[in-house]
Amino acid sequence: MDSALVVHEGGCHCKNVRWRVKAPSSVVAVSCNCSNCSMRGTTAFVVPTERFELLGDSEQFLTTYTFGTHTAKHTFCKVCGITSFYYQRENPDGVAITFRCVDPGTLTCVEIKHFDGKNWEV
Protein backbone atom coordinates (compact mmCIF):
# COMPACT_ATOMS: atom_id res chain seq x y z
CA MET A 1 0.00 0.00 0.00
CA ASP A 2 1.11 3.55 -0.74
CA SER A 3 2.18 5.32 2.46
CA ALA A 4 2.45 8.91 1.15
CA LEU A 5 -0.32 11.04 2.65
CA VAL A 6 -2.81 12.90 0.48
CA VAL A 7 -5.74 15.11 1.44
CA HIS A 8 -9.15 13.50 1.07
CA GLU A 9 -12.42 15.34 1.55
CA GLY A 10 -15.82 13.81 2.04
CA GLY A 11 -18.99 13.78 4.05
CA CYS A 12 -22.61 12.78 4.13
CA HIS A 13 -25.23 12.57 1.36
CA CYS A 14 -26.85 15.97 1.95
CA LYS A 15 -23.41 17.64 2.32
CA ASN A 16 -24.23 19.23 5.69
CA VAL A 17 -21.44 17.16 7.26
CA ARG A 18 -18.07 17.73 5.57
CA TRP A 19 -14.57 16.76 6.65
CA ARG A 20 -10.98 16.61 5.49
CA VAL A 21 -8.57 13.80 6.30
CA LYS A 22 -4.91 13.03 5.53
CA ALA A 23 -4.39 9.40 4.54
CA PRO A 24 -2.64 7.39 1.83
CA SER A 25 -4.32 7.16 -1.57
CA SER A 26 -4.34 3.36 -1.09
CA VAL A 27 -6.05 2.21 2.10
CA VAL A 28 -7.17 -0.95 3.86
CA ALA A 29 -10.82 -0.69 4.86
CA VAL A 30 -12.45 -3.05 7.32
CA SER A 31 -15.87 -4.59 6.82
CA CYS A 32 -17.22 -5.59 10.23
CA ASN A 33 -20.04 -8.02 10.99
CA CYS A 34 -21.00 -6.64 14.41
CA SER A 35 -24.69 -5.91 14.95
CA ASN A 36 -24.34 -2.20 14.07
CA CYS A 37 -21.89 -2.35 11.15
CA SER A 38 -23.66 -5.25 9.46
CA MET A 39 -26.97 -3.38 9.50
CA ARG A 40 -25.41 -0.12 8.30
CA GLY A 41 -23.07 -1.77 5.79
CA THR A 42 -20.15 0.21 7.18
CA THR A 43 -16.71 -0.37 5.66
CA ALA A 44 -14.07 2.05 6.93
CA PHE A 45 -10.38 2.82 7.23
CA VAL A 46 -8.90 4.42 10.35
CA VAL A 47 -6.71 7.50 10.63
CA PRO A 48 -5.20 9.09 13.75
CA THR A 49 -7.47 11.75 15.24
CA GLU A 50 -4.95 14.52 14.52
CA ARG A 51 -5.27 13.85 10.75
CA PHE A 52 -9.05 14.41 10.78
CA GLU A 53 -10.72 17.83 10.52
CA LEU A 54 -14.45 18.53 10.66
CA LEU A 55 -15.23 21.45 8.34
CA GLY A 56 -17.46 24.49 8.66
CA ASP A 57 -20.59 24.11 10.75
CA SER A 58 -20.74 20.31 10.33
CA GLU A 59 -20.82 19.73 14.10
CA GLN A 60 -24.36 21.12 14.37
CA PHE A 61 -25.63 18.46 11.94
CA LEU A 62 -24.12 15.50 13.81
CA THR A 63 -25.71 13.21 16.33
CA THR A 64 -24.26 10.13 18.00
CA TYR A 65 -25.51 6.64 18.73
CA THR A 66 -23.87 4.38 21.31
CA PHE A 67 -24.72 0.96 22.67
CA GLY A 68 -23.14 -1.82 24.74
CA THR A 69 -20.02 -0.38 26.42
CA HIS A 70 -20.76 3.09 24.94
CA THR A 71 -17.08 3.34 23.92
CA ALA A 72 -17.76 3.43 20.19
CA LYS A 73 -19.34 6.68 19.01
CA HIS A 74 -21.40 6.13 15.87
CA THR A 75 -21.80 9.64 14.49
CA PHE A 76 -24.26 10.35 11.71
CA CYS A 77 -25.94 13.28 9.99
CA LYS A 78 -29.21 14.44 11.59
CA VAL A 79 -30.58 15.33 8.16
CA CYS A 80 -29.73 12.41 5.85
CA GLY A 81 -28.69 9.73 8.36
CA ILE A 82 -25.34 8.88 6.74
CA THR A 83 -22.45 7.70 8.93
CA SER A 84 -19.49 9.21 7.07
CA PHE A 85 -17.13 8.76 10.04
CA TYR A 86 -17.25 7.37 13.57
CA TYR A 87 -15.09 6.38 16.54
CA GLN A 88 -14.51 2.65 17.02
CA ARG A 89 -14.36 0.79 20.31
CA GLU A 90 -11.23 -1.09 19.26
CA ASN A 91 -9.42 2.06 18.13
CA PRO A 92 -10.60 4.99 20.30
CA ASP A 93 -7.61 7.19 19.34
CA GLY A 94 -8.51 7.12 15.66
CA VAL A 95 -11.35 8.14 13.39
CA ALA A 96 -12.96 5.52 11.17
CA ILE A 97 -13.70 6.97 7.73
CA THR A 98 -16.44 5.32 5.68
CA PHE A 99 -14.53 4.90 2.43
CA ARG A 100 -17.64 5.28 0.27
CA CYS A 101 -18.09 8.79 1.73
CA VAL A 102 -14.73 10.04 0.41
CA ASP A 103 -15.20 12.39 -2.54
CA PRO A 104 -14.16 10.77 -5.85
CA GLY A 105 -10.65 11.26 -7.19
CA THR A 106 -8.22 10.80 -4.30
CA LEU A 107 -8.58 7.14 -3.30
CA THR A 108 -6.75 5.01 -5.85
CA CYS A 109 -7.06 1.60 -4.18
CA VAL A 110 -9.22 0.22 -1.38
CA GLU A 111 -8.38 -3.25 -0.07
CA ILE A 112 -11.23 -4.66 1.99
CA LYS A 113 -10.55 -6.94 4.95
CA HIS A 114 -13.20 -8.64 7.05
CA PHE A 115 -13.34 -8.31 10.84
CA ASP A 116 -15.37 -10.65 13.06
CA GLY A 117 -16.86 -7.97 15.31
CA LYS A 118 -19.79 -10.25 16.09
CA ASN A 119 -17.49 -12.51 18.12
CA TRP A 120 -14.91 -9.93 19.20
CA GLU A 121 -14.41 -9.26 22.90
CA VAL A 122 -12.01 -6.85 24.56
Side-chain angles (χ1 to χ4, degrees), residues 10-47:
C12 67
H13 187 262
C14 69
K15 306 219 182 298
N16 282 310
V17 175
R18 297 292 298 161
W19 41 256
R20 182 178 297 129
V21 65
K22 291 180 185 171
S25 61
S26 296
V27 297
V28 176
V30 175
S31 176
C32 177
N33 67 352
C34 77
S35 60
N36 190 33
C37 291
S38 62
M39 290 181 122
R40 290 178 184 261
T42 307
T43 304
F45 61 95
V46 178
V47 298

mmCIF file of all heavy atoms in Angstrom, residues 10-47:
data_model
loop_
_atom_site.group_PDB
_atom_site.id
_atom_site.type_symbol
_atom_site.label_atom_id
_atom_site.label_comp_id
_atom_site.label_asym_id
_atom_site.label_seq_id
_atom_site.Cartn_x
_atom_site.Cartn_y
_atom_site.Cartn_z
ATOM 1 N N GLY A 10 -14.616 14.616 2.180
ATOM 2 C CA GLY A 10 -15.820 13.812 2.045
ATOM 3 C C GLY A 10 -16.873 14.266 3.014
ATOM 4 O O GLY A 10 -16.752 15.315 3.651
ATOM 5 N N GLY A 11 -17.912 13.452 3.141
ATOM 6 C CA GLY A 11 -18.988 13.781 4.052
ATOM 7 C C GLY A 11 -20.226 12.963 3.769
ATOM 8 O O GLY A 11 -20.174 11.915 3.128
ATOM 9 N N CYS A 12 -21.346 13.497 4.227
ATOM 10 C CA CYS A 12 -22.614 12.780 4.126
ATOM 11 C C CYS A 12 -23.310 13.059 2.784
ATOM 12 O O CYS A 12 -22.822 13.833 1.959
ATOM 13 C CB CYS A 12 -23.507 13.176 5.297
ATOM 14 S SG CYS A 12 -24.060 14.898 5.241
ATOM 15 N N HIS A 13 -24.472 12.454 2.614
ATOM 16 C CA HIS A 13 -25.230 12.568 1.364
ATOM 17 C C HIS A 13 -25.753 13.976 1.106
ATOM 18 O O HIS A 13 -25.674 14.489 -0.010
ATOM 19 C CB HIS A 13 -26.394 11.573 1.392
ATOM 20 C CG HIS A 13 -27.130 11.487 0.111
ATOM 21 N ND1 HIS A 13 -28.306 12.170 -0.114
ATOM 22 C CD2 HIS A 13 -26.860 10.803 -1.021
ATOM 23 C CE1 HIS A 13 -28.728 11.899 -1.325
ATOM 24 N NE2 HIS A 13 -27.872 11.070 -1.912
ATOM 25 N N CYS A 14 -26.271 14.635 2.140
ATOM 26 C CA CYS A 14 -26.854 15.970 1.953
ATOM 27 C C CYS A 14 -25.810 17.091 2.002
ATOM 28 O O CYS A 14 -26.141 18.251 1.787
ATOM 29 C CB CYS A 14 -27.948 16.227 2.989
ATOM 30 S SG CYS A 14 -27.362 16.404 4.682
ATOM 31 N N LYS A 15 -24.564 16.722 2.293
ATOM 32 C CA LYS A 15 -23.411 17.642 2.321
ATOM 33 C C LYS A 15 -23.424 18.628 3.489
ATOM 34 O O LYS A 15 -22.679 19.584 3.500
ATOM 35 C CB LYS A 15 -23.239 18.368 0.990
ATOM 36 C CG LYS A 15 -23.147 17.411 -0.193
ATOM 37 C CD LYS A 15 -22.156 17.857 -1.205
ATOM 38 C CE LYS A 15 -22.085 16.945 -2.407
ATOM 39 N NZ LYS A 15 -21.680 15.612 -2.176
ATOM 40 N N ASN A 16 -24.275 18.405 4.487
ATOM 41 C CA ASN A 16 -24.229 19.234 5.688
ATOM 42 C C ASN A 16 -23.046 18.868 6.577
ATOM 43 O O ASN A 16 -22.554 19.708 7.318
ATOM 44 C CB ASN A 16 -25.536 19.110 6.483
ATOM 45 C CG ASN A 16 -26.643 19.931 5.870
ATOM 46 O OD1 ASN A 16 -26.461 21.105 5.576
ATOM 47 N ND2 ASN A 16 -27.793 19.313 5.660
ATOM 48 N N VAL A 17 -22.625 17.604 6.525
ATOM 49 C CA VAL A 17 -21.439 17.161 7.257
ATOM 50 C C VAL A 17 -20.315 17.006 6.248
ATOM 51 O O VAL A 17 -20.410 16.238 5.291
ATOM 52 C CB VAL A 17 -21.687 15.821 7.992
ATOM 53 C CG1 VAL A 17 -20.405 15.312 8.640
ATOM 54 C CG2 VAL A 17 -22.798 15.973 9.019
ATOM 55 N N ARG A 18 -19.248 17.770 6.455
ATOM 56 C CA ARG A 18 -18.074 17.731 5.569
ATOM 57 C C ARG A 18 -16.827 17.639 6.425
ATOM 58 O O ARG A 18 -16.759 18.217 7.513
ATOM 59 C CB ARG A 18 -18.003 18.997 4.698
ATOM 60 C CG ARG A 18 -19.167 19.177 3.752
ATOM 61 C CD ARG A 18 -19.228 18.153 2.639
ATOM 62 N NE ARG A 18 -18.045 18.233 1.796
ATOM 63 C CZ ARG A 18 -17.644 17.254 0.986
ATOM 64 N NH1 ARG A 18 -18.300 16.123 0.900
ATOM 65 N NH2 ARG A 18 -16.564 17.411 0.254
ATOM 66 N N TRP A 19 -15.827 16.918 5.934
ATOM 67 C CA TRP A 19 -14.575 16.757 6.646
ATOM 68 C C TRP A 19 -13.414 16.635 5.678
ATOM 69 O O TRP A 19 -13.599 16.434 4.475
ATOM 70 C CB TRP A 19 -14.618 15.548 7.593
ATOM 71 C CG TRP A 19 -15.297 14.327 7.049
ATOM 72 C CD1 TRP A 19 -16.555 13.872 7.363
ATOM 73 C CD2 TRP A 19 -14.790 13.392 6.087
ATOM 74 N NE1 TRP A 19 -16.848 12.736 6.654
ATOM 75 C CE2 TRP A 19 -15.772 12.407 5.877
ATOM 76 C CE3 TRP A 19 -13.595 13.278 5.382
ATOM 77 C CZ2 TRP A 19 -15.597 11.336 4.996
ATOM 78 C CZ3 TRP A 19 -13.412 12.213 4.504
ATOM 79 C CH2 TRP A 19 -14.415 11.264 4.322
ATOM 80 N N ARG A 20 -12.225 16.756 6.239
ATOM 81 C CA ARG A 20 -10.975 16.606 5.495
ATOM 82 C C ARG A 20 -10.100 15.656 6.310
ATOM 83 O O ARG A 20 -10.053 15.745 7.539
ATOM 84 C CB ARG A 20 -10.302 17.971 5.361
ATOM 85 C CG ARG A 20 -9.009 17.970 4.578
ATOM 86 C CD ARG A 20 -8.442 19.384 4.453
ATOM 87 N NE ARG A 20 -9.361 20.243 3.710
ATOM 88 C CZ ARG A 20 -9.779 21.431 4.120
ATOM 89 N NH1 ARG A 20 -9.380 21.944 5.275
ATOM 90 N NH2 ARG A 20 -10.605 22.159 3.377
ATOM 91 N N VAL A 21 -9.417 14.770 5.619
ATOM 92 C CA VAL A 21 -8.567 13.797 6.297
ATOM 93 C C VAL A 21 -7.289 13.582 5.494
ATOM 94 O O VAL A 21 -7.314 13.653 4.253
ATOM 95 C CB VAL A 21 -9.338 12.467 6.514
ATOM 96 C CG1 VAL A 21 -9.688 11.798 5.213
ATOM 97 C CG2 VAL A 21 -8.577 11.526 7.412
ATOM 98 N N LYS A 22 -6.171 13.381 6.186
ATOM 99 C CA LYS A 22 -4.911 13.034 5.525
ATOM 100 C C LYS A 22 -4.693 11.543 5.694
ATOM 101 O O LYS A 22 -4.646 11.028 6.814
ATOM 102 C CB LYS A 22 -3.751 13.814 6.142
ATOM 103 C CG LYS A 22 -3.803 15.286 5.840
ATOM 104 C CD LYS A 22 -2.642 16.025 6.478
ATOM 105 C CE LYS A 22 -2.803 17.515 6.261
ATOM 106 N NZ LYS A 22 -1.836 18.288 7.033
ATOM 107 N N ALA A 23 -4.580 10.852 4.558
ATOM 108 C CA ALA A 23 -4.395 9.397 4.539
ATOM 109 C C ALA A 23 -3.751 9.025 3.209
ATOM 110 O O ALA A 23 -3.761 9.811 2.264
ATOM 111 C CB ALA A 23 -5.740 8.693 4.689
ATOM 112 N N PRO A 24 -3.187 7.830 3.116
ATOM 113 C CA PRO A 24 -2.642 7.394 1.829
ATOM 114 C C PRO A 24 -3.737 7.331 0.757
ATOM 115 O O PRO A 24 -4.926 7.271 1.073
ATOM 116 C CB PRO A 24 -2.096 5.993 2.135
ATOM 117 C CG PRO A 24 -1.906 5.965 3.611
ATOM 118 C CD PRO A 24 -2.979 6.849 4.180
ATOM 119 N N SER A 25 -3.334 7.312 -0.498
ATOM 120 C CA SER A 25 -4.315 7.158 -1.575
ATOM 121 C C SER A 25 -4.776 5.704 -1.687
ATOM 122 O O SER A 25 -5.844 5.433 -2.217
ATOM 123 C CB SER A 25 -3.733 7.631 -2.910
ATOM 124 O OG SER A 25 -2.597 6.870 -3.245
ATOM 125 N N SER A 26 -3.979 4.779 -1.165
ATOM 126 C CA SER A 26 -4.342 3.361 -1.086
ATOM 127 C C SER A 26 -4.560 3.021 0.378
ATOM 128 O O SER A 26 -3.668 3.245 1.201
ATOM 129 C CB SER A 26 -3.232 2.480 -1.649
ATOM 130 O OG SER A 26 -3.058 2.728 -3.017
ATOM 131 N N VAL A 27 -5.724 2.494 0.698
ATOM 132 C CA VAL A 27 -6.051 2.209 2.096
ATOM 133 C C VAL A 27 -6.580 0.789 2.257
ATOM 134 O O VAL A 27 -7.015 0.162 1.283
ATOM 135 C CB VAL A 27 -7.103 3.205 2.651
ATOM 136 C CG1 VAL A 27 -6.562 4.630 2.646
ATOM 137 C CG2 VAL A 27 -8.414 3.115 1.891
ATOM 138 N N VAL A 28 -6.542 0.326 3.490
ATOM 139 C CA VAL A 28 -7.171 -0.949 3.858
ATOM 140 C C VAL A 28 -8.405 -0.597 4.679
ATOM 141 O O VAL A 28 -8.300 0.024 5.741
ATOM 142 C CB VAL A 28 -6.217 -1.839 4.676
ATOM 143 C CG1 VAL A 28 -6.932 -3.103 5.126
ATOM 144 C CG2 VAL A 28 -4.978 -2.185 3.866
ATOM 145 N N ALA A 29 -9.560 -0.940 4.170
ATOM 146 C CA ALA A 29 -10.819 -0.685 4.864
ATOM 147 C C ALA A 29 -11.323 -1.990 5.469
ATOM 148 O O ALA A 29 -11.119 -3.064 4.915
ATOM 149 C CB ALA A 29 -11.847 -0.119 3.897
ATOM 150 N N VAL A 30 -11.969 -1.877 6.606
ATOM 151 C CA VAL A 30 -12.453 -3.049 7.317
ATOM 152 C C VAL A 30 -13.965 -3.132 7.228
ATOM 153 O O VAL A 30 -14.671 -2.155 7.498
ATOM 154 C CB VAL A 30 -12.001 -3.014 8.795
ATOM 155 C CG1 VAL A 30 -12.592 -4.161 9.582
ATOM 156 C CG2 VAL A 30 -10.479 -3.038 8.875
ATOM 157 N N SER A 31 -14.442 -4.293 6.839
ATOM 158 C CA SER A 31 -15.871 -4.593 6.823
ATOM 159 C C SER A 31 -16.141 -5.454 8.050
ATOM 160 O O SER A 31 -15.604 -6.540 8.181
ATOM 161 C CB SER A 31 -16.226 -5.350 5.543
ATOM 162 O OG SER A 31 -17.579 -5.729 5.565
ATOM 163 N N CYS A 32 -16.953 -4.943 8.949
ATOM 164 C CA CYS A 32 -17.217 -5.591 10.232
ATOM 165 C C CYS A 32 -18.604 -6.221 10.221
ATOM 166 O O CYS A 32 -19.529 -5.680 9.629
ATOM 167 C CB CYS A 32 -17.089 -4.538 11.337
ATOM 168 S SG CYS A 32 -17.470 -5.130 12.990
ATOM 169 N N ASN A 33 -18.743 -7.351 10.931
ATOM 170 C CA ASN A 33 -20.041 -8.022 10.987
ATOM 171 C C ASN A 33 -20.733 -7.867 12.341
ATOM 172 O O ASN A 33 -21.638 -8.630 12.665
ATOM 173 C CB ASN A 33 -19.898 -9.503 10.629
ATOM 174 C CG ASN A 33 -19.101 -10.279 11.657
ATOM 175 O OD1 ASN A 33 -18.506 -9.717 12.578
ATOM 176 N ND2 ASN A 33 -19.052 -11.595 11.499
ATOM 177 N N CYS A 34 -20.317 -6.865 13.142
ATOM 178 C CA CYS A 34 -21.004 -6.643 14.413
ATOM 179 C C CYS A 34 -22.450 -6.220 14.120
ATOM 180 O O CYS A 34 -22.798 -5.911 12.983
ATOM 181 C CB CYS A 34 -20.285 -5.593 15.272
ATOM 182 S SG CYS A 34 -20.555 -3.880 14.765
ATOM 183 N N SER A 35 -23.275 -6.192 15.155
ATOM 184 C CA SER A 35 -24.692 -5.905 14.946
ATOM 185 C C SER A 35 -24.927 -4.551 14.282
ATOM 186 O O SER A 35 -25.800 -4.419 13.424
ATOM 187 C CB SER A 35 -25.446 -5.983 16.271
ATOM 188 O OG SER A 35 -24.923 -5.046 17.200
ATOM 189 N N ASN A 36 -24.149 -3.542 14.638
ATOM 190 C CA ASN A 36 -24.344 -2.205 14.073
ATOM 191 C C ASN A 36 -23.777 -2.105 12.657
ATOM 192 O O ASN A 36 -24.473 -1.676 11.733
ATOM 193 C CB ASN A 36 -23.716 -1.150 14.984
ATOM 194 C CG ASN A 36 -24.091 0.260 14.581
ATOM 195 O OD1 ASN A 36 -25.183 0.501 14.097
ATOM 196 N ND2 ASN A 36 -23.189 1.185 14.768
ATOM 197 N N CYS A 37 -22.523 -2.475 12.473
ATOM 198 C CA CYS A 37 -21.885 -2.349 11.149
ATOM 199 C C CYS A 37 -22.578 -3.195 10.088
ATOM 200 O O CYS A 37 -22.714 -2.771 8.944
ATOM 201 C CB CYS A 37 -20.409 -2.720 11.226
ATOM 202 S SG CYS A 37 -19.402 -1.536 12.151
ATOM 203 N N SER A 38 -23.013 -4.400 10.461
ATOM 204 C CA SER A 38 -23.655 -5.248 9.456
ATOM 205 C C SER A 38 -24.983 -4.658 8.998
ATOM 206 O O SER A 38 -25.329 -4.738 7.824
ATOM 207 C CB SER A 38 -23.838 -6.672 9.979
ATOM 208 O OG SER A 38 -24.682 -6.692 11.104
ATOM 209 N N MET A 39 -25.711 -4.009 9.908
ATOM 210 C CA MET A 39 -26.974 -3.378 9.502
ATOM 211 C C MET A 39 -26.745 -2.122 8.681
ATOM 212 O O MET A 39 -27.484 -1.844 7.739
ATOM 213 C CB MET A 39 -27.813 -3.034 10.738
ATOM 214 C CG MET A 39 -28.371 -4.249 11.428
ATOM 215 S SD MET A 39 -29.353 -3.783 12.853
ATOM 216 C CE MET A 39 -30.897 -4.523 12.402
ATOM 217 N N ARG A 40 -25.709 -1.364 9.026
ATOM 218 C CA ARG A 40 -25.410 -0.120 8.303
ATOM 219 C C ARG A 40 -24.608 -0.363 7.023
ATOM 220 O O ARG A 40 -24.549 0.504 6.160
ATOM 221 C CB ARG A 40 -24.603 0.828 9.195
ATOM 222 C CG ARG A 40 -25.376 1.420 10.328
ATOM 223 C CD ARG A 40 -24.453 2.316 11.165
ATOM 224 N NE ARG A 40 -25.129 2.847 12.316
ATOM 225 C CZ ARG A 40 -25.650 4.064 12.381
ATOM 226 N NH1 ARG A 40 -25.552 4.884 11.377
ATOM 227 N NH2 ARG A 40 -26.252 4.468 13.470
ATOM 228 N N GLY A 41 -23.928 -1.496 6.938
ATOM 229 C CA GLY A 41 -23.072 -1.772 5.789
ATOM 230 C C GLY A 41 -21.780 -0.970 5.821
ATOM 231 O O GLY A 41 -21.203 -0.655 4.785
ATOM 232 N N THR A 42 -21.334 -0.633 7.021
ATOM 233 C CA THR A 42 -20.150 0.212 7.184
ATOM 234 C C THR A 42 -18.863 -0.527 6.810
ATOM 235 O O THR A 42 -18.626 -1.629 7.273
ATOM 236 C CB THR A 42 -20.039 0.697 8.652
ATOM 237 O OG1 THR A 42 -21.271 1.310 9.011
ATOM 238 C CG2 THR A 42 -18.909 1.671 8.831
ATOM 239 N N THR A 43 -18.051 0.099 5.991
ATOM 240 C CA THR A 43 -16.714 -0.371 5.656
ATOM 241 C C THR A 43 -15.806 0.847 5.710
ATOM 242 O O THR A 43 -16.007 1.804 4.970
ATOM 243 C CB THR A 43 -16.665 -1.021 4.261
ATOM 244 O OG1 THR A 43 -17.636 -2.072 4.213
ATOM 245 C CG2 THR A 43 -15.297 -1.594 3.956
ATOM 246 N N ALA A 44 -14.824 0.825 6.640
ATOM 247 C CA ALA A 44 -14.071 2.048 6.927
ATOM 248 C C ALA A 44 -12.583 1.784 7.124
ATOM 249 O O ALA A 44 -12.176 0.682 7.481
ATOM 250 C CB ALA A 44 -14.634 2.698 8.188
ATOM 251 N N PHE A 45 -11.801 2.840 6.901
ATOM 252 C CA PHE A 45 -10.378 2.818 7.230
ATOM 253 C C PHE A 45 -10.163 3.817 8.363
ATOM 254 O O PHE A 45 -10.927 4.766 8.525
ATOM 255 C CB PHE A 45 -9.492 3.129 6.015
ATOM 256 C CG PHE A 45 -9.693 4.484 5.392
ATOM 257 C CD1 PHE A 45 -8.890 5.554 5.758
ATOM 258 C CD2 PHE A 45 -10.671 4.689 4.423
ATOM 259 C CE1 PHE A 45 -9.056 6.807 5.175
ATOM 260 C CE2 PHE A 45 -10.846 5.936 3.837
ATOM 261 C CZ PHE A 45 -10.038 6.994 4.211
ATOM 262 N N VAL A 46 -9.128 3.599 9.153
ATOM 263 C CA VAL A 46 -8.899 4.415 10.349
ATOM 264 C C VAL A 46 -7.684 5.302 10.166
ATOM 265 O O VAL A 46 -6.657 4.879 9.628
ATOM 266 C CB VAL A 46 -8.708 3.517 11.591
ATOM 267 C CG1 VAL A 46 -8.418 4.350 12.834
ATOM 268 C CG2 VAL A 46 -9.951 2.666 11.820
ATOM 269 N N VAL A 47 -7.826 6.546 10.611
ATOM 270 C CA VAL A 47 -6.711 7.498 10.626
ATOM 271 C C VAL A 47 -6.569 8.035 12.050
ATOM 272 O O VAL A 47 -7.547 8.076 12.800
ATOM 273 C CB VAL A 47 -6.930 8.674 9.642
ATOM 274 C CG1 VAL A 47 -7.025 8.177 8.211
ATOM 275 C CG2 VAL A 47 -8.145 9.489 10.013
#
